[in-house]
Amino acid sequence: MVFGDLRGWIDHLRKEGELQEIDVEVDWNCELGTVARKAFGTGNGPALLFNNIKGYGEKARCSRVFTGGLSRYSRVAMMFGLPKSASITELVKAARTAYAGRVAPKIVDDGPVKEVVLTGDAIDLLEFPVPKWHREDGGRYINTLQGTVTMDPDTGRLNVGVYRGMVGQKNTIPSLLWRAQNWGGDFAKWVDRDQDMPVACVLGWEPCLPFCAASPLPPDVSEFEVMGALRGAPVELVRCETVPLLVPASAEVVIEGYISNDPKTFEMEGPFGEYTGYFGGDQGPKHTIRVTAITHRKRPILRGTLEGTLPKMLNENSIMSSVQRAALAWNVLERAGVPGITDVHCPAANNGTTLIIQMRQRYRGQAKQAAMAIWGSSASHLRYKHVWVVDEDIDVHDYAALDWAFAYRVNAAEDDIIFVPGTFGSALDPSTRLPLRDTLTYGTGKWCRVLIDATVNMDFAPEAQYDGNRYPPTVKPHPQDWDLVTRRWKEYGFKD
Ligand SMILES: Cc1cc2nc3c(=O)[nH]c(=O)nc-3n(C[C@H](O)[C@H](O)[C@H](O)COP(=O)(O)O)c2cc1C
């Protein structure tokens, strides 16, 4: 679907009854984030447009904040142009198709994002109503659902990623820059050249921007090409003012700048309420964007999001992740040649930390092949710590079914639980000891990954007494018995 810009997306949401506009005054300091937390609910709340933010009246450079565009599956479906009732598996299949597609962007000379250009002393990030989302956050986080554009200096490939960043001074954004992320790969190449890395943070465009920017696509892929495939039309890009990068011409706000590897330029950042549900990325000196320009539309709308997921407290990242991480894993499995995959699911509450694969087994060791393929891919950085594999009769969206398979198809003495220690992991996961989460020293976190193979064990011999199956029959009634009893149900005296 082509929406044109953030405003086109907001209009569409309004028409579809998916938007709540908040016109009473709301404080950027903790109140806005708490409203978002309550409104996001269990993943069933509306998108939110805050029109009246304390201290940012009509005369302010920016007076509106939009959040929650993708905090409900119905709106992820709308982004894909699917019916709002589409199932999670249908959304995952749509994302798989988009990720496999490429539509090259189109470079244009000008666009609304150039309506206002600020450089030098005119730059002041706090002229924007940047929320302090949680009381314990280390500051006001401006980069929460932006797309940060960087370039591979060897190939010119433009990467777009969501990487958190806090307002430091009026022209600085200390950020979480991990070497195992794609902008981290780009950064290493700029450092090798002894040059600062140019960046451009795009805040507010069509929903495919944050969706693709938060997707761990392979390092050689430009998210702009995948956005083109997702929306079915090229993304129109304009050149930045002070960095050699390109950004969507109709974006709301673009922040341009450079990041140095000199520790003297690092500023304090963190902690931040994170996707794990805990505060993470503790306060410490971090790589810092030195802002060289801000360009924006007239009356810009700031795009941001409330991070942090807990059971029954879902948000944009968790809803998006459950689609993105399942789709990417499925594509990885297909590319690696693992046969028989019938469904893949990431429960929203853990943002893709747990991956559930449903497969039709054809030979022994297939579940292990699947887990190794997943863990060998760059998509598994920060995610897929625990991989479950189940047979086709287990509904991956039904935790009771998974629990039953875990109870009776898993036997640790039969190699059904496999540990892979010492892998890259998430530096935000508090189950990893604090010193091992130090990314300035190690580049990333550290995990022992676990496979739970909850499929029927193919090492068991088919048994004649089980009609040639490896497991006995279940207690599910035979269809002829079930049909008979269903027909006679009322005769037995039952009402329904
Ligand atoms: C709300 C939100 C915040 C995120 N914050 C960070 C972050 O601070 N650092 C990071 O490396 N990844 C963060 N991510 C995850 C990345 O966006 C994701 O891993 C993505 O694949 C990065 O792009 P890349 O694969 O091109 O590096 C965040 C994602 C979301 C949705």
Side-chain angles (χ1 to χ4, degrees), residues 133-168:
W133 297 92
H134 306 96
R135 200 163 284 280
E136 290 86 354
D137 285 348
R140 295 171 71 174
Y141 274 78
I142 187 159
N143 281 350
T144 52
L145 205 56
Q146 83 301 351
T148 296
V149 184
T150 56
M151 188 206 289
D152 177 332
D154 293 340
T155 65
R157 183 276 288 120
L158 294 178
N159 188 72
V160 192
V162 180
Y163 313 108
R164 82 184 202 197
M166 191 183 108
V167 177

PDB file of all heavy atoms in Angstrom, residues 133-168:
ATOM      1  N   TRP A 133       9.879   8.714  28.098  1.00  0.00           N
ATOM      2  CA  TRP A 133       8.832   7.699  27.976  1.00  0.00           C
ATOM      3  C   TRP A 133       8.550   7.026  29.321  1.00  0.00           C
ATOM      4  O   TRP A 133       7.411   6.768  29.663  1.00  0.00           O
ATOM      5  CB  TRP A 133       9.236   6.651  26.925  1.00  0.00           C
ATOM      6  CG  TRP A 133       9.392   7.222  25.550  1.00  0.00           C
ATOM      7  CD1 TRP A 133      10.537   7.695  24.988  1.00  0.00           C
ATOM      8  CD2 TRP A 133       8.363   7.395  24.569  1.00  0.00           C
ATOM      9  NE1 TRP A 133      10.284   8.155  23.706  1.00  0.00           N
ATOM     10  CE2 TRP A 133       8.962   7.973  23.425  1.00  0.00           C
ATOM     11  CE3 TRP A 133       6.989   7.122  24.530  1.00  0.00           C
ATOM     12  CZ2 TRP A 133       8.247   8.272  22.265  1.00  0.00           C
ATOM     13  CZ3 TRP A 133       6.279   7.405  23.367  1.00  0.00           C
ATOM     14  CH2 TRP A 133       6.904   7.989  22.264  1.00  0.00           C
ATOM     15  N   HIS A 134       9.626   6.688  30.067  1.00  0.00           N
ATOM     16  CA  HIS A 134       9.467   6.061  31.382  1.00  0.00           C
ATOM     17  C   HIS A 134      10.203   6.920  32.416  1.00  0.00           C
ATOM     18  O   HIS A 134      11.227   7.519  32.108  1.00  0.00           O
ATOM     19  CB  HIS A 134      10.131   4.680  31.450  1.00  0.00           C
ATOM     20  CG  HIS A 134       9.714   3.718  30.406  1.00  0.00           C
ATOM     21  ND1 HIS A 134      10.432   3.527  29.249  1.00  0.00           N
ATOM     22  CD2 HIS A 134       8.675   2.861  30.362  1.00  0.00           C
ATOM     23  CE1 HIS A 134       9.847   2.598  28.526  1.00  0.00           C
ATOM     24  NE2 HIS A 134       8.788   2.174  29.161  1.00  0.00           N
ATOM     25  N   ARG A 135       9.735   6.845  33.634  1.00  0.00           N
ATOM     26  CA  ARG A 135      10.363   7.632  34.695  1.00  0.00           C
ATOM     27  C   ARG A 135      11.837   7.255  34.876  1.00  0.00           C
ATOM     28  O   ARG A 135      12.677   8.099  35.146  1.00  0.00           O
ATOM     29  CB  ARG A 135       9.582   7.438  36.008  1.00  0.00           C
ATOM     30  CG  ARG A 135       9.808   8.499  37.030  1.00  0.00           C
ATOM     31  CD  ARG A 135       8.737   8.481  38.107  1.00  0.00           C
ATOM     32  NE  ARG A 135       7.474   9.049  37.670  1.00  0.00           N
ATOM     33  CZ  ARG A 135       7.221  10.357  37.604  1.00  0.00           C
ATOM     34  NH1 ARG A 135       8.137  11.225  37.959  1.00  0.00           N
ATOM     35  NH2 ARG A 135       6.055  10.798  37.187  1.00  0.00           N
ATOM     36  N   GLU A 136      12.178   5.964  34.716  1.00  0.00           N
ATOM     37  CA  GLU A 136      13.567   5.533  34.968  1.00  0.00           C
ATOM     38  C   GLU A 136      14.463   5.661  33.737  1.00  0.00           C
ATOM     39  O   GLU A 136      15.647   5.303  33.803  1.00  0.00           O
ATOM     40  CB  GLU A 136      13.612   4.071  35.453  1.00  0.00           C
ATOM     41  CG  GLU A 136      13.058   3.858  36.845  1.00  0.00           C
ATOM     42  CD  GLU A 136      11.536   3.654  36.846  1.00  0.00           C
ATOM     43  OE1 GLU A 136      10.906   3.796  35.774  1.00  0.00           O
ATOM     44  OE2 GLU A 136      10.976   3.373  37.916  1.00  0.00           O
ATOM     45  N   ASP A 137      13.930   6.101  32.590  1.00  0.00           N
ATOM     46  CA  ASP A 137      14.803   6.290  31.420  1.00  0.00           C
ATOM     47  C   ASP A 137      15.888   7.305  31.771  1.00  0.00           C
ATOM     48  O   ASP A 137      15.649   8.256  32.524  1.00  0.00           O
ATOM     49  CB  ASP A 137      14.004   6.825  30.221  1.00  0.00           C
ATOM     50  CG  ASP A 137      13.138   5.755  29.567  1.00  0.00           C
ATOM     51  OD1 ASP A 137      13.320   4.560  29.873  1.00  0.00           O
ATOM     52  OD2 ASP A 137      12.274   6.129  28.748  1.00  0.00           O
ATOM     53  N   GLY A 138      17.076   7.117  31.150  1.00  0.00           N
ATOM     54  CA  GLY A 138      18.192   8.012  31.437  1.00  0.00           C
ATOM     55  C   GLY A 138      18.003   9.412  30.873  1.00  0.00           C
ATOM     56  O   GLY A 138      18.797  10.313  31.173  1.00  0.00           O
ATOM     57  N   GLY A 139      17.003   9.644  30.056  1.00  0.00           N
ATOM     58  CA  GLY A 139      16.790  10.965  29.470  1.00  0.00           C
ATOM     59  C   GLY A 139      15.609  10.942  28.526  1.00  0.00           C
ATOM     60  O   GLY A 139      14.758  10.049  28.597  1.00  0.00           O
ATOM     61  N   ARG A 140      15.564  11.936  27.622  1.00  0.00           N
ATOM     62  CA  ARG A 140      14.475  12.045  26.653  1.00  0.00           C
ATOM     63  C   ARG A 140      14.921  11.361  25.364  1.00  0.00           C
ATOM     64  O   ARG A 140      15.892  11.796  24.724  1.00  0.00           O
ATOM     65  CB  ARG A 140      14.132  13.517  26.432  1.00  0.00           C
ATOM     66  CG  ARG A 140      13.577  14.161  27.699  1.00  0.00           C
ATOM     67  CD  ARG A 140      13.431  15.666  27.556  1.00  0.00           C
ATOM     68  NE  ARG A 140      12.359  16.066  26.655  1.00  0.00           N
ATOM     69  CZ  ARG A 140      11.969  17.330  26.474  1.00  0.00           C
ATOM     70  NH1 ARG A 140      12.574  18.305  27.139  1.00  0.00           N
ATOM     71  NH2 ARG A 140      10.994  17.625  25.635  1.00  0.00           N
ATOM     72  N   TYR A 141      14.243  10.293  25.014  1.00  0.00           N
ATOM     73  CA  TYR A 141      14.658   9.480  23.850  1.00  0.00           C
ATOM     74  C   TYR A 141      13.971   9.969  22.591  1.00  0.00           C
ATOM     75  O   TYR A 141      12.762   9.846  22.433  1.00  0.00           O
ATOM     76  CB  TYR A 141      14.388   7.983  24.113  1.00  0.00           C
ATOM     77  CG  TYR A 141      15.556   7.374  24.841  1.00  0.00           C
ATOM     78  CD1 TYR A 141      15.722   7.569  26.207  1.00  0.00           C
ATOM     79  CD2 TYR A 141      16.555   6.695  24.147  1.00  0.00           C
ATOM     80  CE1 TYR A 141      16.836   7.074  26.870  1.00  0.00           C
ATOM     81  CE2 TYR A 141      17.657   6.190  24.796  1.00  0.00           C
ATOM     82  CZ  TYR A 141      17.795   6.379  26.153  1.00  0.00           C
ATOM     83  OH  TYR A 141      18.906   5.892  26.798  1.00  0.00           O
ATOM     84  N   ILE A 142      14.798  10.506  21.674  1.00  0.00           N
ATOM     85  CA  ILE A 142      14.269  11.013  20.403  1.00  0.00           C
ATOM     86  C   ILE A 142      14.266   9.923  19.341  1.00  0.00           C
ATOM     87  O   ILE A 142      13.369   9.858  18.510  1.00  0.00           O
ATOM     88  CB  ILE A 142      15.072  12.270  19.947  1.00  0.00           C
ATOM     89  CG1 ILE A 142      14.419  12.890  18.717  1.00  0.00           C
ATOM     90  CG2 ILE A 142      16.545  11.959  19.703  1.00  0.00           C
ATOM     91  CD1 ILE A 142      14.782  14.341  18.492  1.00  0.00           C
ATOM     92  N   ASN A 143      15.277   9.041  19.386  1.00  0.00           N
ATOM     93  CA  ASN A 143      15.335   7.948  18.410  1.00  0.00           C
ATOM     94  C   ASN A 143      14.767   6.686  19.031  1.00  0.00           C
ATOM     95  O   ASN A 143      15.433   5.994  19.801  1.00  0.00           O
ATOM     96  CB  ASN A 143      16.784   7.715  17.960  1.00  0.00           C
ATOM     97  CG  ASN A 143      17.234   8.725  16.932  1.00  0.00           C
ATOM     98  OD1 ASN A 143      16.420   9.493  16.412  1.00  0.00           O
ATOM     99  ND2 ASN A 143      18.513   8.732  16.615  1.00  0.00           N
ATOM    100  N   THR A 144      13.502   6.423  18.700  1.00  0.00           N
ATOM    101  CA  THR A 144      12.858   5.208  19.218  1.00  0.00           C
ATOM    102  C   THR A 144      12.225   4.401  18.088  1.00  0.00           C
ATOM    103  O   THR A 144      12.203   3.189  18.146  1.00  0.00           O
ATOM    104  CB  THR A 144      11.770   5.547  20.256  1.00  0.00           C
ATOM    105  OG1 THR A 144      10.888   6.515  19.682  1.00  0.00           O
ATOM    106  CG2 THR A 144      12.378   6.088  21.543  1.00  0.00           C
ATOM    107  N   LEU A 145      11.699   5.074  17.076  1.00  0.00           N
ATOM    108  CA  LEU A 145      11.175   4.323  15.930  1.00  0.00           C
ATOM    109  C   LEU A 145      11.480   5.087  14.642  1.00  0.00           C
ATOM    110  O   LEU A 145      10.688   5.149  13.721  1.00  0.00           O
ATOM    111  CB  LEU A 145       9.679   4.030  16.071  1.00  0.00           C
ATOM    112  CG  LEU A 145       9.195   2.809  15.284  1.00  0.00           C
ATOM    113  CD1 LEU A 145       9.958   1.556  15.655  1.00  0.00           C
ATOM    114  CD2 LEU A 145       7.722   2.582  15.458  1.00  0.00           C
ATOM    115  N   GLN A 146      12.672   5.673  14.638  1.00  0.00           N
ATOM    116  CA  GLN A 146      13.178   6.360  13.452  1.00  0.00           C
ATOM    117  C   GLN A 146      13.814   5.322  12.529  1.00  0.00           C
ATOM    118  O   GLN A 146      13.964   4.164  12.901  1.00  0.00           O
ATOM    119  CB  GLN A 146      14.211   7.408  13.877  1.00  0.00           C
ATOM    120  CG  GLN A 146      15.639   6.910  14.124  1.00  0.00           C
ATOM    121  CD  GLN A 146      15.789   5.837  15.196  1.00  0.00           C
ATOM    122  OE1 GLN A 146      14.866   5.525  15.931  1.00  0.00           O
ATOM    123  NE2 GLN A 146      16.969   5.249  15.277  1.00  0.00           N
ATOM    124  N   GLY A 147      14.202   5.753  11.353  1.00  0.00           N
ATOM    125  CA  GLY A 147      15.054   4.904  10.527  1.00  0.00           C
ATOM    126  C   GLY A 147      16.390   5.611  10.409  1.00  0.00           C
ATOM    127  O   GLY A 147      16.468   6.704   9.834  1.00  0.00           O
ATOM    128  N   THR A 148      17.434   5.021  10.977  1.00  0.00           N
ATOM    129  CA  THR A 148      18.755   5.647  10.884  1.00  0.00           C
ATOM    130  C   THR A 148      19.465   5.122   9.632  1.00  0.00           C
ATOM    131  O   THR A 148      19.690   3.920   9.492  1.00  0.00           O
ATOM    132  CB  THR A 148      19.581   5.347  12.148  1.00  0.00           C
ATOM    133  OG1 THR A 148      18.922   5.961  13.259  1.00  0.00           O
ATOM    134  CG2 THR A 148      20.999   5.891  12.034  1.00  0.00           C
ATOM    135  N   VAL A 149      19.785   6.053   8.737  1.00  0.00           N
ATOM    136  CA  VAL A 149      20.409   5.679   7.452  1.00  0.00           C
ATOM    137  C   VAL A 149      21.926   5.777   7.599  1.00  0.00           C
ATOM    138  O   VAL A 149      22.444   6.781   8.101  1.00  0.00           O
ATOM    139  CB  VAL A 149      19.949   6.638   6.326  1.00  0.00           C
ATOM    140  CG1 VAL A 149      20.519   6.200   4.971  1.00  0.00           C
ATOM    141  CG2 VAL A 149      18.428   6.717   6.274  1.00  0.00           C
ATOM    142  N   THR A 150      22.618   4.710   7.189  1.00  0.00           N
ATOM    143  CA  THR A 150      24.084   4.751   7.114  1.00  0.00           C
ATOM    144  C   THR A 150      24.503   4.133   5.781  1.00  0.00           C
ATOM    145  O   THR A 150      23.687   3.513   5.095  1.00  0.00           O
ATOM    146  CB  THR A 150      24.754   3.950   8.261  1.00  0.00           C
ATOM    147  OG1 THR A 150      24.260   2.603   8.232  1.00  0.00           O
ATOM    148  CG2 THR A 150      24.478   4.569   9.616  1.00  0.00           C
ATOM    149  N   MET A 151      25.781   4.304   5.456  1.00  0.00           N
ATOM    150  CA  MET A 151      26.254   3.785   4.164  1.00  0.00           C
ATOM    151  C   MET A 151      27.461   2.876   4.364  1.00  0.00           C
ATOM    152  O   MET A 151      28.327   3.175   5.203  1.00  0.00           O
ATOM    153  CB  MET A 151      26.655   4.961   3.272  1.00  0.00           C
ATOM    154  CG  MET A 151      26.984   4.560   1.841  1.00  0.00           C
ATOM    155  SD  MET A 151      28.104   5.753   1.126  1.00  0.00           S
ATOM    156  CE  MET A 151      27.029   7.137   0.951  1.00  0.00           C
ATOM    157  N   ASP A 152      27.485   1.786   3.615  1.00  0.00           N
ATOM    158  CA  ASP A 152      28.695   0.977   3.547  1.00  0.00           C
ATOM    159  C   ASP A 152      29.647   1.731   2.617  1.00  0.00           C
ATOM    160  O   ASP A 152      29.349   1.873   1.424  1.00  0.00           O
ATOM    161  CB  ASP A 152      28.342  -0.402   2.981  1.00  0.00           C
ATOM    162  CG  ASP A 152      29.561  -1.296   2.798  1.00  0.00           C
ATOM    163  OD1 ASP A 152      30.667  -0.751   2.588  1.00  0.00           O
ATOM    164  OD2 ASP A 152      29.406  -2.524   2.832  1.00  0.00           O
ATOM    165  N   PRO A 153      30.778   2.241   3.143  1.00  0.00           N
ATOM    166  CA  PRO A 153      31.625   3.094   2.294  1.00  0.00           C
ATOM    167  C   PRO A 153      32.280   2.321   1.150  1.00  0.00           C
ATOM    168  O   PRO A 153      32.745   2.927   0.181  1.00  0.00           O
ATOM    169  CB  PRO A 153      32.677   3.630   3.267  1.00  0.00           C
ATOM    170  CG  PRO A 153      32.700   2.676   4.409  1.00  0.00           C
ATOM    171  CD  PRO A 153      31.328   2.068   4.497  1.00  0.00           C
ATOM    172  N   ASP A 154      32.319   0.990   1.233  1.00  0.00           N
ATOM    173  CA  ASP A 154      32.913   0.201   0.141  1.00  0.00           C
ATOM    174  C   ASP A 154      31.948   0.033  -1.023  1.00  0.00           C
ATOM    175  O   ASP A 154      32.344   0.076  -2.186  1.00  0.00           O
ATOM    176  CB  ASP A 154      33.320  -1.200   0.640  1.00  0.00           C
ATOM    177  CG  ASP A 154      34.463  -1.129   1.647  1.00  0.00           C
ATOM    178  OD1 ASP A 154      35.158  -0.092   1.665  1.00  0.00           O
ATOM    179  OD2 ASP A 154      34.627  -2.100   2.416  1.00  0.00           O
ATOM    180  N   THR A 155      30.658  -0.186  -0.704  1.00  0.00           N
ATOM    181  CA  THR A 155      29.699  -0.534  -1.764  1.00  0.00           C
ATOM    182  C   THR A 155      28.674   0.560  -2.034  1.00  0.00           C
ATOM    183  O   THR A 155      27.983   0.510  -3.048  1.00  0.00           O
ATOM    184  CB  THR A 155      28.915  -1.798  -1.359  1.00  0.00           C
ATOM    185  OG1 THR A 155      28.117  -1.474  -0.203  1.00  0.00           O
ATOM    186  CG2 THR A 155      29.847  -2.962  -1.034  1.00  0.00           C
ATOM    187  N   GLY A 156      28.520   1.504  -1.107  1.00  0.00           N
ATOM    188  CA  GLY A 156      27.500   2.548  -1.264  1.00  0.00           C
ATOM    189  C   GLY A 156      26.119   2.092  -0.823  1.00  0.00           C
ATOM    190  O   GLY A 156      25.159   2.853  -0.885  1.00  0.00           O
ATOM    191  N   ARG A 157      25.990   0.860  -0.342  1.00  0.00           N
ATOM    192  CA  ARG A 157      24.676   0.354   0.100  1.00  0.00           C
ATOM    193  C   ARG A 157      24.166   1.172   1.292  1.00  0.00           C
ATOM    194  O   ARG A 157      24.883   1.414   2.243  1.00  0.00           O
ATOM    195  CB  ARG A 157      24.813  -1.131   0.489  1.00  0.00           C
ATOM    196  CG  ARG A 157      23.552  -1.845   0.897  1.00  0.00           C
ATOM    197  CD  ARG A 157      23.186  -1.645   2.373  1.00  0.00           C
ATOM    198  NE  ARG A 157      24.032  -2.326   3.311  1.00  0.00           N
ATOM    199  CZ  ARG A 157      24.763  -1.712   4.259  1.00  0.00           C
ATOM    200  NH1 ARG A 157      24.749  -0.384   4.404  1.00  0.00           N
ATOM    201  NH2 ARG A 157      25.499  -2.414   5.084  1.00  0.00           N
ATOM    202  N   LEU A 158      22.895   1.623   1.204  1.00  0.00           N
ATOM    203  CA  LEU A 158      22.313   2.400   2.303  1.00  0.00           C
ATOM    204  C   LEU A 158      21.564   1.458   3.238  1.00  0.00           C
ATOM    205  O   LEU A 158      20.663   0.733   2.802  1.00  0.00           O
ATOM    206  CB  LEU A 158      21.343   3.455   1.771  1.00  0.00           C
ATOM    207  CG  LEU A 158      21.962   4.573   0.927  1.00  0.00           C
ATOM    208  CD1 LEU A 158      20.874   5.515   0.415  1.00  0.00           C
ATOM    209  CD2 LEU A 158      23.011   5.362   1.718  1.00  0.00           C
ATOM    210  N   ASN A 159      21.951   1.446   4.506  1.00  0.00           N
ATOM    211  CA  ASN A 159      21.244   0.642   5.512  1.00  0.00           C
ATOM    212  C   ASN A 159      20.295   1.552   6.290  1.00  0.00           C
ATOM    213  O   ASN A 159      20.590   2.731   6.501  1.00  0.00           O
ATOM    214  CB  ASN A 159      22.262   0.016   6.479  1.00  0.00           C
ATOM    215  CG  ASN A 159      21.598  -0.979   7.421  1.00  0.00           C
ATOM    216  OD1 ASN A 159      21.216  -2.068   7.009  1.00  0.00           O
ATOM    217  ND2 ASN A 159      21.440  -0.605   8.686  1.00  0.00           N
ATOM    218  N   VAL A 160      19.161   0.996   6.688  1.00  0.00           N
ATOM    219  CA  VAL A 160      18.239   1.758   7.529  1.00  0.00           C
ATOM    220  C   VAL A 160      17.891   0.887   8.739  1.00  0.00           C
ATOM    221  O   VAL A 160      17.411  -0.237   8.580  1.00  0.00           O
ATOM    222  CB  VAL A 160      16.940   2.123   6.772  1.00  0.00           C
ATOM    223  CG1 VAL A 160      16.145   3.155   7.577  1.00  0.00           C
ATOM    224  CG2 VAL A 160      17.221   2.650   5.376  1.00  0.00           C
ATOM    225  N   GLY A 161      18.159   1.382   9.943  1.00  0.00           N
ATOM    226  CA  GLY A 161      17.901   0.588  11.150  1.00  0.00           C
ATOM    227  C   GLY A 161      17.315   1.444  12.258  1.00  0.00           C
ATOM    228  O   GLY A 161      17.476   2.668  12.272  1.00  0.00           O
ATOM    229  N   VAL A 162      16.620   0.786  13.194  1.00  0.00           N
ATOM    230  CA  VAL A 162      16.135   1.480  14.392  1.00  0.00           C
ATOM    231  C   VAL A 162      17.161   1.238  15.492  1.00  0.00           C
ATOM    232  O   VAL A 162      17.393   0.092  15.879  1.00  0.00           O
ATOM    233  CB  VAL A 162      14.760   0.930  14.851  1.00  0.00           C
ATOM    234  CG1 VAL A 162      14.281   1.683  16.092  1.00  0.00           C
ATOM    235  CG2 VAL A 162      13.728   1.014  13.743  1.00  0.00           C
ATOM    236  N   TYR A 163      17.785   2.287  15.962  1.00  0.00           N
ATOM    237  CA  TYR A 163      18.774   2.175  17.039  1.00  0.00           C
ATOM    238  C   TYR A 163      18.484   3.311  18.011  1.00  0.00           C
ATOM    239  O   TYR A 163      18.462   4.473  17.601  1.00  0.00           O
ATOM    240  CB  TYR A 163      20.206   2.317  16.476  1.00  0.00           C
ATOM    241  CG  TYR A 163      20.472   1.480  15.240  1.00  0.00           C
ATOM    242  CD1 TYR A 163      20.601   2.084  13.982  1.00  0.00           C
ATOM    243  CD2 TYR A 163      20.595   0.100  15.324  1.00  0.00           C
ATOM    244  CE1 TYR A 163      20.857   1.325  12.848  1.00  0.00           C
ATOM    245  CE2 TYR A 163      20.849  -0.667  14.193  1.00  0.00           C
ATOM    246  CZ  TYR A 163      20.980  -0.049  12.954  1.00  0.00           C
ATOM    247  OH  TYR A 163      21.215  -0.796  11.827  1.00  0.00           O
ATOM    248  N   ARG A 164      18.316   2.966  19.281  1.00  0.00           N
ATOM    249  CA  ARG A 164      17.840   3.959  20.235  1.00  0.00           C
ATOM    250  C   ARG A 164      18.856   5.093  20.432  1.00  0.00           C
ATOM    251  O   ARG A 164      20.072   4.863  20.361  1.00  0.00           O
ATOM    252  CB  ARG A 164      17.517   3.293  21.576  1.00  0.00           C
ATOM    253  CG  ARG A 164      18.710   3.064  22.446  1.00  0.00           C
ATOM    254  CD  ARG A 164      18.348   2.322  23.731  1.00  0.00           C
ATOM    255  NE  ARG A 164      19.352   2.576  24.748  1.00  0.00           N
ATOM    256  CZ  ARG A 164      19.499   1.842  25.850  1.00  0.00           C
ATOM    257  NH1 ARG A 164      18.710   0.815  26.077  1.00  0.00           N
ATOM    258  NH2 ARG A 164      20.423   2.156  26.733  1.00  0.00           N
ATOM    259  N   GLY A 165      18.331   6.283  20.699  1.00  0.00           N
ATOM    260  CA  GLY A 165      19.206   7.440  20.915  1.00  0.00           C
ATOM    261  C   GLY A 165      18.505   8.487  21.760  1.00  0.00           C
ATOM    262  O   GLY A 165      17.309   8.747  21.606  1.00  0.00           O
ATOM    263  N   MET A 166      19.266   9.091  22.658  1.00  0.00           N
ATOM    264  CA  MET A 166      18.738  10.007  23.666  1.00  0.00           C
ATOM    265  C   MET A 166      19.233  11.427  23.363  1.00  0.00           C
ATOM    266  O   MET A 166      20.327  11.576  22.813  1.00  0.00           O
ATOM    267  CB  MET A 166      19.346   9.518  24.981  1.00  0.00           C
ATOM    268  CG  MET A 166      18.840  10.057  26.236  1.00  0.00           C
ATOM    269  SD  MET A 166      19.840   9.344  27.593  1.00  0.00           S
ATOM    270  CE  MET A 166      20.771  10.788  28.064  1.00  0.00           C
ATOM    271  N   VAL A 167      18.478  12.416  23.717  1.00  0.00           N
ATOM    272  CA  VAL A 167      19.001  13.775  23.563  1.00  0.00           C
ATOM    273  C   VAL A 167      20.105  13.966  24.605  1.00  0.00           C
ATOM    274  O   VAL A 167      19.880  13.769  25.806  1.00  0.00           O
ATOM    275  CB  VAL A 167      17.892  14.831  23.746  1.00  0.00           C
ATOM    276  CG1 VAL A 167      18.484  16.240  23.649  1.00  0.00           C
ATOM    277  CG2 VAL A 167      16.796  14.645  22.716  1.00  0.00           C
ATOM    278  N   GLY A 168      21.306  14.319  24.139  1.00  0.00           N
ATOM    279  CA  GLY A 168      22.425  14.579  25.037  1.00  0.00           C
ATOM    280  C   GLY A 168      22.458  16.068  25.318  1.00  0.00           C
ATOM    281  O   GLY A 168      21.917  16.561  26.303  1.00  0.00           O
TER     282      GLY A 168
END
